[in-house]
């Protein structure tokens, strides 16, 4: 058969009966192929089709959905969303879940406890952290660990001894509902922010009027000196050059505006030269000594309250909440306000906000000062995320010193607690700008400046430039000696040797601990004891269990909160 096939032409090969029979043969009948019994074969899973519930960023979504035209695109709140929130089939009333009668006659939730228990998913365990901590589980029958606090006759159990103590573990968790309502309906009052924002706007308007007046004065002067035809030949040139050729001296009282001077005034405006002086009263403001304290850096998504509790137990002195968007806070979004919750063990605690507009940031600072118990407010000017940067927030503020100055001075005006700032070396890796910005911070009343030794372009790649951090620190040396402003460095701190090297060699008042704490939360204890902790696997597992317990206490033990809990645990 081989000689027939090898000696045949292409046409003959396609029609050779032996070859066609070989092609149609089953794999087990072919030479060199070992057959496998059917009971050992694994069927390939069928490919799932993309639906509206496909999560954002799914690798399976090879081809993105086509963008709708302007005519057919849906508007308002009834848009299609890729990510859908989880909800139970039966939404049980919270009063009913606690075994009590609902006092609200207009309640839309279900009150059929029997139907809910029949539809409810199986319990995840028989130990409820909330019941053990508070003596009563606030989720009642909705708890996925219901076995721990239900009697044989189906009644909820209560540990009266613990329940009567009214144990409180979280601060800033009971914001009045009326506050959310006022924010959402734009009825919240800002008695401190409004006067300052009016002053800023008046300054901006005055500058525009001055520029317009100078422009008209310049134009009238040129019309007196030249014919309109001659002016056309000098359009591309400088006004000062044109006047100089005419032999007329350029004086401030005659012509206070030229192309060159206009650009200089724009630069001065960016330097916040004309922002109204704010009479700061340091004696009336709360002061915090940040120097030589171990500061757990604000970590978006992973720097949650349960994780901060773990770090506090290992020796962290200062903690800060996750980055919250100023616009979302002003809209009364509870998910954003949740980021600013504080545990009772966090004795020095601050919140970090991010915004792109002066009025948003200043008003947000006033709301925080009115409604929350925090020790300082930090402004994020280092976030490299494209979504934040493209809107003018985060690290985009590093190129707009005028706007940034108005934000910081406004925050000082409306708050009676210290204002801090976290920044990067600059936007471009090859053009660091922090050495120009940091010296202005003392004039704006900043208590602490934290510099991450990477640019926005670097993100988290390459090593942090600690030599540049030391250079920037030297620009405010005289202010640091009088404790008017503290200066911290940040980047690549993974051991206690790194900490003391930076403290001794790079002229900083402290070091922020960021990703190093994610690797080993006990890093704070290593720094304080100046030793490497050879932690065992058992100790690591105990830390993880404690973190899980703190997570269930914080996020909750019902089905809806449980999904948020597992999302955070598996990050």
């Amino acid at each position: 058969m081989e000689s027939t096939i090898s000696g045949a032409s292409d046409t003959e090969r396609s029609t050779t009966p032996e070859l066609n029979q070989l092609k149609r043969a089953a794999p087990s009948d072919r030479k060199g192929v070992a057959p496998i019994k059917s009971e050992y074969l694994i069927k390939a899973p069928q490919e799932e089709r993309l639906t509206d519930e496909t999560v954002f960023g799914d690798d399976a979504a090879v081809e993105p959905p086509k963008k709708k035209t302007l005519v057919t695109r849906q508007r308002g709140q009834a848009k299609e969303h890729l990510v859908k929130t989880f909800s139970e089939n039966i939404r049980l009333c919270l009063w009913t879940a606690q075994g009590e009668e609902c006092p609200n006659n207009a309640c839309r939730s279900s009150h059929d406890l029997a139907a809910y228990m029949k539809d409810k998913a199986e319990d995840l365990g028989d130990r409820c952290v909330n019941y053990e901590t508070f003596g009563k589980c606030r989720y009642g029958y909705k708890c996925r660990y219901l076995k721990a606090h239900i009697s044989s006759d189906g009644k909820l159990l209560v540990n009266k001894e613990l329940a009567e103590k009214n144990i409180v573990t979280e601060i800033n968790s009971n914001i009045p509902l009326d506050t959310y309502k006022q924010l959402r309906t734009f009825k919240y009052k800002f008695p401190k922010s409004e006067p300052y924002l009016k002053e800023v706007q008046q300054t901006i308007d005055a500058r525009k009027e001055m520029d317009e007046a100078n422009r008209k004065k310049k134009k009238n002067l040129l019309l007196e000196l030249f014919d309109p035809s001659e002016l056309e030949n000098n359009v591309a040139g400088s006004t000062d050059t044109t006047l100089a050729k005419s032999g007329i001296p350029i004086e401030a009282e005659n012509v206070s505006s030229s192309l060159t001077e206009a650009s200089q005034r724009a630069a001065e405006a960016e330097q916040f030269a004309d922002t109204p002086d704010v009479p700061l009263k340091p004696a009336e403001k709360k002061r915090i000594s940040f120097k030589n304290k171990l500061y757990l850096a604000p970590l978006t998504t992973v720097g949650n309250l349960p994780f901060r509790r773990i770090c506090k137990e290992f020796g962290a002195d200062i903690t800060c909440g996750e980055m919250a968007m100023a616009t979302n806070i002003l809209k009364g979004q509870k998910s954003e306000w949740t980021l600013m919750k504080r545990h009772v063990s966090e004795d020095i605690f601050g919140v970090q906000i991010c915004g792109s507009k002066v009025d948003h940031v200043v008003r947000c600072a006033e709301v925080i000062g009115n409604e929350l118990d925090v020790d300082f407010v930090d402004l994020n000017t280092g976030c490299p995320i494209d979504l934040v940067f493209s809107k003018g927030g985060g690290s985009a503020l590093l190129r707009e010193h005028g706007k940034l100055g108005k934000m910081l001075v406004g925050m000082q005006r409306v708050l009676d607690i210290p204002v801090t700032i976290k920044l990067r070396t600059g936007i471009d890796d090859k053009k660091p700008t922090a050495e120009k910005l940091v010296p202005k911070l003392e004039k704006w009343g900043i208590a602490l400046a934290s510099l991450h030794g990477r640019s926005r372009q670097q993100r988290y790649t390459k090593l942090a430039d600690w030599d540049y951090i030391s250079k920037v620190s030297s620009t405010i040396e005289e202010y640091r000696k009088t404790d008017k402003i503290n200066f911290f460095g940040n980047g690549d701190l993974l051991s206690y040797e790194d900490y003391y090297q930076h403290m001794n060699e790079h002229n900083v008042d402290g070091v922020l601990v960021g990703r190093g704490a994610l690797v080993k939360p006990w890093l704070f204890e290593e720094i304080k004891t100046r030793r490497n902790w050879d932690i065992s696997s058992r100790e690591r597992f105990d830390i993880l269990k404690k973190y899980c317990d703190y997570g269930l206490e914080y996020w909750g033990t019902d089905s809806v909160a449980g999904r948020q809990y597992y999302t955070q645990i598996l990050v």
Side-chain angles (χ1 to χ4, degrees):
M1 180 179 66
E2 294 179 359
S3 60
T4 305
I5 296 175
S6 60
S9 62
D10 294 341
T11 306
E12 292 172 343
R13 289 179 186 176
S14 61
T15 57
T16 303
E18 293 85 350
L19 181 58
N20 292 337
Q21 184 178 1
L22 180 62
K23 289 181 178 180
R24 292 192 299 268
S28 58
D29 298 334
R30 298 178 185 173
K31 293 182 179 181
V33 178
I36 300 176
K37 293 183 178 180
S38 58
E39 57 265 28
Y40 296 107
L41 293 175
I42 301 177
K43 295 183 179 179
Q46 296 181 353
E47 295 184 0
E48 298 182 359
R49 298 182 61 185
L50 295 178
T51 62
D52 291 341
E53 297 183 358
T54 304
V55 293
F56 179 79
D58 193 351
D59 293 335
V62 179
E63 183 179 354
K66 294 183 179 180
K67 186 176 181 179
K68 294 185 178 182
T69 62
L70 293 175
V71 179
T72 60
R73 188 183 303 161
Q74 297 181 8
R75 303 187 180 211
Q77 297 182 356
K79 295 181 180 179
E80 295 180 0
H81 294 275
L82 294 176
V83 180
K84 293 187 177 181
T85 57
F86 172 80
S87 61
E88 297 177 289
N89 296 330
I90 300 177
R91 185 180 177 183
L92 187 66
C93 173
L94 296 179
W95 290 92
T96 306
Q98 291 291 338
E100 302 177 12
E101 185 177 353
C102 179
N104 186 5
N105 295 329
C107 180
R108 298 181 179 181
S109 300
S110 173
H111 301 87
D112 191 345
L113 181 60
Y116 175 83
M117 295 300 295
K118 184 178 180 180
D119 184 73
K120 180 187 173 185
E122 186 179 354
D123 282 358
L124 299 175
D126 55 1
R127 174 178 170 266
C128 179
V129 176
N130 287 315
Y131 179 73
E132 293 179 356
T133 304
F134 306 102
K136 180 180 180 180
C137 179
R138 64 181 185 271
Y139 294 97
Y141 289 104
K142 299 180 69 174
C143 179
R144 294 296 299 277
Y145 303 87
L146 182 60
K147 296 177 183 178
H149 48 83
I150 189 171
S151 62
S152 57
D153 58 349
K155 298 295 181 64
L156 295 175
L157 300 177
V158 177
N159 185 335
K160 293 185 179 180
E161 183 179 354
L162 278 176
E164 290 176 355
K165 292 181 179 180
N166 293 323
I167 299 174
V168 178
T169 60
E170 295 177 2
I171 305 174
N172 302 332
S173 59
N174 295 321
I175 307 299
L177 294 178
D178 188 53
T179 299
Y180 291 121
K181 183 178 180 180
Q182 290 179 6
L183 288 171
R184 291 169 184 164
T185 56
F186 305 102
K187 295 181 180 179
Y188 194 93
K189 303 298 182 182
F190 300 94
K192 298 179 182 178
S193 300
E194 295 302 332
Y196 173 76
L197 295 175
K198 286 182 180 179
E199 292 176 10
V200 172
Q201 188 60 44
Q202 289 173 358
T203 303
I204 296 174
D205 294 341
R207 168 142 322 253
K208 290 181 179 180
E209 291 177 4
M210 183 185 67
D211 290 343
E212 181 64 20
N214 289 333
R215 188 187 67 81
K216 291 181 179 179
K217 192 173 183 180
K218 170 194 66 178
K219 182 178 179 181
N220 294 334
L221 182 58
L222 289 175
L223 289 174
E224 294 176 1
L225 298 174
F226 302 98
D227 294 332
S229 60
E230 295 179 358
L231 286 178
E232 294 179 359
N233 299 327
N234 293 283
V235 170
S238 170
T239 304
D240 292 343
T241 304
T242 305
L243 293 174
K245 289 180 180 179
S246 65
I248 296 179
I250 304 172
E251 297 179 356
E253 58 271 16
N254 293 329
V255 182
S256 61
S257 175
S258 66
L259 297 179
T260 303
E261 291 176 343
S263 62
Q264 290 178 351
R265 286 200 313 276
E268 290 175 358
E270 288 300 315
Q271 300 298 327
F272 195 53
D274 287 336
T275 299
D277 295 331
V278 179
L280 299 177
K281 298 180 180 180
E284 298 179 1
K285 288 182 175 289
K286 179 179 179 180
R287 294 183 62 86
I288 298 176
S289 178
F290 295 96
K291 195 170 184 177
N292 297 325
K293 286 186 169 59
L294 295 181
Y295 185 174
L296 173 63
L299 301 167
T300 304
T301 304
V302 290
N304 46 59
L305 186 145
F307 177 74
R308 298 197 305 267
R309 287 182 65 178
I310 295 291
C311 292
K312 281 295 298 182
E313 293 175 0
F314 282 117
D317 298 318
I318 305 173
T319 55
C320 187
E322 303 173 62
M323 182 183 73
M325 301 304 297
T327 52
N328 294 339
I329 294 174
L330 294 176
K331 290 178 182 177
Q333 291 187 8
K334 290 187 177 181
S335 58
E336 212 73 15
W337 282 79
T338 302
L339 301 176
M340 299 184 287
K341 285 185 179 181
R342 172 184 188 175
H343 191 260
V344 292
S345 64
E346 298 180 276
D347 47 352
I348 304 179
F349 173 77
V351 295
Q352 186 183 72
I353 61 176
C354 180
S356 59
K357 296 183 178 180
V358 177
D359 57 334
H360 291 172
V361 172
V362 175
R363 289 191 178 103
C364 177
E366 183 175 357
V367 173
I368 291 173
N370 294 340
E371 307 295 339
L372 300 180
D373 180 11
V374 297
D375 299 307
F376 63 92
V377 178
D378 185 79
L379 179 63
N380 184 310
T381 61
C383 180
I385 300 175
D386 294 336
L387 183 62
V388 176
F389 182 84
S390 62
K391 294 182 179 180
S395 54
L397 292 172
L398 298 177
R399 63 188 178 191
E400 299 188 55
H401 294 183
K403 181 195 291 186
L404 178 59
K406 292 178 177 66
M407 288 181 179
L408 294 174
V409 174
M411 292 172 67
Q412 289 282 359
R413 172 78 71 91
V414 302
L415 290 171
D416 58 359
I417 54 178
V419 176
T420 66
I421 185 173
K422 191 171 185 295
L423 63 156
R424 285 179 175 252
T425 59
I427 296 177
D428 192 346
D429 190 17
K430 297 180 180 180
K431 296 179 181 179
T433 58
E435 75 272 14
K436 298 180 181 179
L437 173 61
V438 171
K440 303 173 187 176
L441 298 179
E442 188 276 333
K443 299 178 182 179
W444 296 337
I446 300 305
L448 171 65
S450 304
L451 178 60
H452 187 175
R454 292 183 175 89
S455 66
R456 189 255 174 183
Q457 184 182 8
Q458 283 181 261
R459 298 289 180 107
Y460 297 96
T461 60
K462 302 180 182 178
L463 294 176
D465 190 350
W466 276 91
D467 291 334
Y468 183 75
I469 293 177
S470 180
K471 176 183 176 181
V472 175
S473 177
S474 63
T475 62
I476 54 172
E477 185 71 27
E478 56 178 319
Y479 303 120
R480 292 175 52 233
K481 290 180 180 179
T482 58
D483 206 28
K484 290 184 178 180
I485 183 174
N486 293 133
F487 184 78
F488 277 34
N490 178 216
D492 303 331
L493 178 62
L494 300 175
S495 66
Y496 82 90
E497 293 95 342
D498 294 337
Y499 175 83
Y500 287 104
Q501 178 185 0
H502 297 322
M503 291 292 292
N504 296 330
E505 299 179 5
H506 295 110
N507 194 27
V508 293
D509 298 317
V511 182
L512 269 73
V513 185
R515 289 182 293 172
L518 294 175
V519 177
K520 46 181 182 180
W522 55 91
L523 178 58
F524 300 97
E525 184 170 333
E526 290 186 353
I527 294 174
K528 290 190 172 182
T529 58
R530 297 189 180 223
R531 67 180 179 90
N532 288 314
W533 186 7
D534 186 16
I535 187 171
S536 65
S537 58
R538 180 65 185 178
E539 290 173 313
R540 292 172 186 264
F541 188 66
D542 289 340
I543 295 173
L544 181 59
K545 288 196 299 183
K546 185 180 293 186
Y547 177 59
C548 292
D549 287 347
Y550 292 165
L552 289 171
E553 179 183 328
Y554 174 63
W555 284 296
T557 54
D558 65 332
S559 296
V560 178
R563 290 180 66 87
Q564 174 71 7
Y565 161 75
Y566 287 115
T567 300
Q568 296 288 340
I569 290 293
L570 296 176
V571 168

